[in-house]
């Protein structure tokens, strides 16, 4: 990719604490062998949702300070600067000033159109990227499914049986390759991210681990945590359409 550079980030600790009473630990529970294992599995799923929310949030990296604020990683929005299409008007949108550190400045919103998408895909390709995924909120996923190309499609109705209504799109064929359209319930509705997965990943300093915590009365406590960061290998391989209504 042109202007290739390795971009640093800070790690962030994510975790949950679960507590199970002695009564539940001693009980013969229907459907599961261990209440503690069940609660830890639920906590692990919650952490994974938290991570997804963090990497799609408008968050810049910060070292934090002892006793007052936690260390935070920079999200995708803090790294995407080269290839963007953003709002203007009364309040203009602005890309992050310092990649990975600054947050985006939100601008006046406008409706998501195919023209905006084509603009950013072309910019990513010109920068050397090969975009293959479009991440959008549930509301914007429905907007993308309403782009002109889908309306031109036909579905053959069988001579017997019921017809199928074709109202959604999973792939978008651009001039520069196919984009998989991925709905994401955790990202902001005002953002649409065009990504090249080869140049973004999660990097773990400490993989998921479970630690025992001191008992509270008759209850056992455990903590599950991980320390990780978003690894953006080249911000010019990605793009975004921002300030969407």
């Amino acid at each position: 990719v042109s202007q290739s550079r390795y971009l640093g980030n800070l790690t962030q600790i994510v975790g949950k604490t679960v507590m199970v009473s002695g009564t539940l630990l001693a009980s013969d529970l229907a459907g599961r062998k261990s209440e503690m294992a069940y609660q830890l599995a639920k906590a692990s799923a919650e952490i994974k949702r938290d991570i997804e929310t963090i990497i799609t949030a408008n968050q810049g990296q910060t070292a934090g300070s002892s006793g007052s604020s936690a260390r935070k990683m920079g999200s995708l929005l803090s790294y995407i600067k080269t290839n963007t299409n953003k709002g203007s008007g009364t309040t203009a949108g602005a890309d992050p000033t310092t990649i990975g550190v600054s947050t985006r400045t939100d601008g006046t919103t406008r409706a998501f159109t195919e023209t905006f998408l084509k603009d950013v895909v072309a910019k990513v390709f010109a920068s050397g990227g090969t975009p293959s995924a479009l991440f959008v909120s549930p509301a914007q996923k429905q907007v993308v499914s309403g782009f002109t190309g889908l309306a031109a499609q036909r579905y053959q109705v069988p001579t017997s049986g019921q017809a199928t209504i074709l109202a959604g799109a999973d792939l978008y064929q651009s001039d520069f390759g196919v984009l998989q359209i991925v709905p994401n319930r955790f990202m902001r509705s005002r953002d649409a991210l065009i990504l090249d997965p080869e140049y973004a990943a999660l990097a773990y300093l400490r993989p998921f681990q479970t630690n025992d915590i001191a008992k509270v009365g008759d209850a056992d406590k455990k903590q599950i945590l991980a320390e990780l960061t978003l690894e953006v290998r080249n911000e010019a391989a990605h793009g975004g359409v921002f300030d969407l209504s």
Side-chain angles (χ1 to χ4, degrees):
V1 177
S2 63
Q3 300 177 343
S4 180
R5 55 194 178 277
Y6 186 85
L7 302 172
N9 204 346
L10 297 177
T11 60
Q12 182 169 342
I13 299 171
V14 290
K16 301 283 183 181
T17 300
V18 301
M19 183 167 60
V20 179
S21 69
T23 300
L24 277 176
L25 290 171
S27 299
D28 184 8
L29 302 174
R32 52 183 178 270
K33 184 177 181 180
S34 167
E35 180 65 21
M36 180 61 77
Y38 174 67
Q39 294 299 328
L40 287 171
K42 290 204 304 179
S44 176
E46 290 175 9
I47 293 174
K48 291 175 182 177
R49 290 193 291 270
D50 290 344
I51 293 171
E52 194 169 352
T53 301
I54 291 168
I55 64 176
T56 57
N58 192 17
Q59 173 177 298
Q61 60 180 262
T62 174
S65 58
S66 178
S68 59
S69 60
R71 184 174 61 250
K72 294 181 179 180
M73 71 177 82
S75 71
L76 279 168
L77 297 190
S78 71
Y79 281 91
I80 297 177
K81 181 180 177 70
T82 302
N83 310 308
T84 64
N85 185 297
K86 48 192 178 293
S88 55
T90 305
T91 304
D95 300 322
T97 305
T98 304
I99 293 176
V101 178
S102 307
T103 56
R104 296 199 61 80
T105 300
D106 292 332
T108 302
T109 58
R110 66 269 164 83
F112 192 13
T113 68
E114 190 174 5
T115 301
F116 297 157
L117 177 60
K118 287 182 174 181
D119 174 58
V120 175
V121 171
K123 288 177 178 176
V124 173
F125 185 80
S127 296
T130 308
S132 60
L134 169 63
F135 284 81
V136 288
S137 69
Q140 300 300 346
K141 171 63 168 67
Q142 292 181 312
V143 173
V144 173
S145 293
F147 284 172
T148 305
L150 183 63
Q153 299 301 310
R154 299 291 183 269
Y155 192 90
Q156 185 173 358
V157 180
T159 55
S160 61
Q162 295 183 330
T164 299
I165 297 175
L166 185 63
D170 297 319
L171 300 173
Y172 177 84
Q173 176 70 61
S174 76
D175 291 322
F176 308 102
V178 177
L179 295 177
Q180 181 181 3
I181 305 169
V182 183
N184 186 300
R185 61 170 59 92
F186 303 108
M187 67 185 294
R188 306 193 309 172
S189 188
R190 65 184 300 128
D191 306 318
L193 303 178
I194 295 93
L195 307 178
D196 182 346
E198 183 180 350
Y199 291 94
L202 289 178
Y204 285 85
L205 178 62
R206 289 187 290 166
F208 278 87
Q209 56 188 266
T210 302
N211 302 315
D212 293 327
I213 299 179
K215 288 173 64 71
V216 177
D218 188 37
D220 283 359
K221 290 182 68 176
K222 289 183 181 290
Q223 177 194 56
I224 181 170
L225 64 79
E227 185 171 0
L228 71 158
T229 192
L230 173 66
E231 181 184 333
V232 179
R233 295 164 183 164
N234 193 309
E235 68 88 18
H238 314 292
V241 182
F242 302 107
D243 306 317
L244 302 175
S245 56

